[in-house]
Amino acid sequence: MTTVLAMSVAATFATTEASLAQTKLKWAHVYETSEPFHTASVWAAQEIGKRTNGRYQIDVYPASQLGKEADINQGLSLGSVDIIISGSSFAAKSFPPIGVTYYPYTFRDADHLLAYTKSDIFKELAKGYEDKSGHHIVAVTYYGVRQTSSNKPIKTCADMKGLKMRVPDVPAYLAMPRACGANTAPIAFAEVYLALQNGTVEAQENPLTTIEAKKFYEVQKHIVLTGHIVDHLNTVIAGALWKKLSDEDKKIFTDVAQEAAAKATEAIKEKEAKLVAFFKEKGLTVTEVDKNEFRDTVLKNVPFETFGYRKADWERIQAVK
C-alpha cells in the first residue's frame, strides 16, 4: 500500500513538474486560415515546440479571433497575446519613423523590400520601435503589393476624386487615396466584404492575395494596379516574453520566425504572380495605370512630416540595393 501511494505521489509530482516546465503562449493575427501567414505561423509554433523540447506550447489564433489588428498590438503590452503578425503601420503608432516604409512608392518591388530588412536603416528603425514599445521584431514577411479594387473604372489619379473607399485607419495607407481625392472610410478589416457588398464603400485597397482570400472580387468590378505600397508584416514578440527568454531560446524563436517568414514570402510571391489572370477569368477588368503620375501626386500633396516620418530615412531606403 505504501509503495502504491509513493508511486502515485511521484507520478503526480512528475506531472505537476512537467506542466510547470511548459509555457503556454498565444500567437495572434487577423488573416484567414487559408493564407500563408497562418500556415507559416502554425508551422513556426510547432517548430518552436520541437526545438525547445516541448517547453513552449504556442496556440495560433487567426482571423481576428483575439481582436482586430489594433487590439492585438495593444495586447502585446496588456499581456493578452505574446506574439503577433502585424504591419509596420501599427508599429508606427508607438514609433512613427518606422512607418516610413508605408509611404507610397517607397519600395520598387518585393526584392527591394527584402533587401531593406537586411539593411542598417531597418535595424535602426526596429531598435527605435523596441526602445519605445518594449517589443521585439524578429522577422519580416512580404505581404504583397497593395492594389486598388473598385466598382468604378479608374485610369488616373483624378478618377479617384470623390470615390468612397475603405482604407485602414493608418496615416500612410491614407496618403495615396487622399492625395487623389478619394473619400476614405476606416472600416474594420473583417467588415470590408459586407461594406463593399451593401455599397457603404465603392472601393478598397489591398494586395491581390488578400483580395482573393477575402473574396472581395465577388463584390467588385475592377482591379486597378496602382501598386502604391509594397507591403510587409512584422513578427513581433511581446517585450515581457522577450526579456524572459534565455539567449538560446531567443535564437530559436528568431531562427524559426525568420524561416516561417521566408516560407510565407515565397508562397505570396508565387500566388501573386498568378492572380491577374484569375481575376480576369472571374470577369473583372484589370487596369494598368501610370504609377509615376500617382507617385508624383502623393509627393506633391502629402509631406513626410504629416505622419512623423523622416525624409532622410525614406531617401536611405530608396538607396538600398
Side-chain angles (χ1 to χ4, degrees):
M1 188 75 172
T2 304
T3 303
V4 172
L5 181 60
M7 290 175 65
S8 176
V9 170
T12 301
F13 180 79
T15 301
T16 302
E17 186 176 45
S19 65
L20 288 173
Q22 187 178 68
T23 300
K24 292 186 176 181
L25 303 174
K26 293 180 179 179
W27 180 317
H29 63 77
V30 299
Y31 303 99
E32 299 300 313
T33 55
S34 61
E35 294 184 82
F37 315 114
H38 177 68
T39 53
S41 297
V42 171
W43 175 86
Q46 295 171 344
E47 192 66 16
I48 289 171
K50 290 176 186 176
R51 296 190 196 181
T52 59
N53 298 314
R55 285 186 290 108
Y56 294 94
Q57 178 187 320
I58 304 176
D59 295 318
V60 180
Y61 296 85
S64 304
Q65 288 179 10
L66 295 186
K68 299 171 185 176
E69 198 157 3
D71 299 327
I72 62 174
N73 274 272
Q74 292 174 354
L76 290 172
S77 298
L78 297 174
S80 56
V81 295
D82 304 288
I83 305 170
I84 67 169
I85 298 177
S86 178
S88 286
S89 53
F90 285 89
K93 293 185 177 182
S94 297
F95 180 61
I98 199 171
V100 71
T101 56
Y102 283 81
Y103 189 89
Y105 304 101
T106 294
F107 295 109
R108 294 181 290 276
D109 50 31
D111 291 339
H112 184 199
L113 165 68
L114 296 173
Y116 154 75
T117 66
K118 298 175 176 63
S119 70
D120 289 341
I121 180 65
F122 169 75
K123 293 172 186 174
E124 291 169 20
L125 291 171
K127 184 179 185 302
Y129 166 72
E130 185 165 3
D131 290 345
K132 284 289 187 180
S133 69
H135 311 310
H136 184 75
I137 297 173
V138 286
V140 178
T141 304
Y142 172 61
Y143 183 64
V145 180
R146 296 184 82 90
Q147 315 284 7
T148 301
S149 70
S150 172
N151 280 330
K152 291 185 176 180
I154 297 169
K155 293 183 180 179
T156 68
C157 186
D159 290 338
M160 296 181 73
K161 187 173 183 180
L163 186 72
K164 294 186 295 181
M165 185 172 179
R166 182 270 174 179
V167 183
D169 190 19
V170 175
Y173 286 139
L174 295 165
M176 184 279 286
R178 288 188 175 174
C180 293
N183 294 327
T184 57
I187 295 166
F189 191 48
E191 299 163 11
V192 177
Y193 184 99
L194 183 60
L196 291 169
Q197 186 178 47
N198 64 24
T200 302
V201 290
E202 304 163 281
Q204 65 84 49
E205 54 80 56
N206 261 297
L208 297 182
T209 48
T210 303
I211 294 171
E212 187 270 338
K214 285 289 190 178
K215 300 187 185 300
F216 296 155
Y217 62 87
E218 294 180 346
V219 287
Q220 297 276 258
K221 297 176 182 177
H222 301 271
I223 300 291
V224 187
L225 301 178
T226 48
H228 48 287
I229 295 174
V230 178
D231 212 342
H232 63 285
L233 300 176
N234 299 317
T235 305
V236 189
I237 296 181
L241 170 60
W242 186 250
K243 290 173 185 175
K244 292 178 184 176
L245 295 178
S246 66
D247 288 344
E248 180 184 359
D249 285 349
K250 283 179 179 176
K251 185 176 187 308
I252 290 171
F253 274 68
T254 301
D255 288 348
V256 171
Q258 291 183 357
E259 290 170 35
K263 289 175 183 287
T265 292
E266 285 308 307
I268 290 296
K269 287 170 75 174
E270 289 176 15
K271 190 165 188 179
E272 198 171 38
K274 302 174 183 176
L275 282 174
V276 167
F278 170 83
F279 292 127
K280 287 180 178 178
E281 289 171 6
K282 292 293 182 180
L284 280 77
T285 300
V286 179
T287 304
E288 293 269 4
V289 298
D290 180 356
K291 293 179 186 176
N292 290 332
E293 186 233 344
F294 280 77
R295 182 195 62 215
D296 293 346
T297 302
V298 174
L299 287 169
K300 178 182 177 182
N301 294 322
V302 188
F304 291 91
E305 295 75 19
T306 302
F307 311 119
Y309 304 158
R310 300 178 296 219
K311 189 174 182 180
D313 292 336
W314 186 81
E315 290 172 343
R316 287 178 67 190
I317 292 170
Q318 293 279 294
V320 170
K321 295 180 180 179

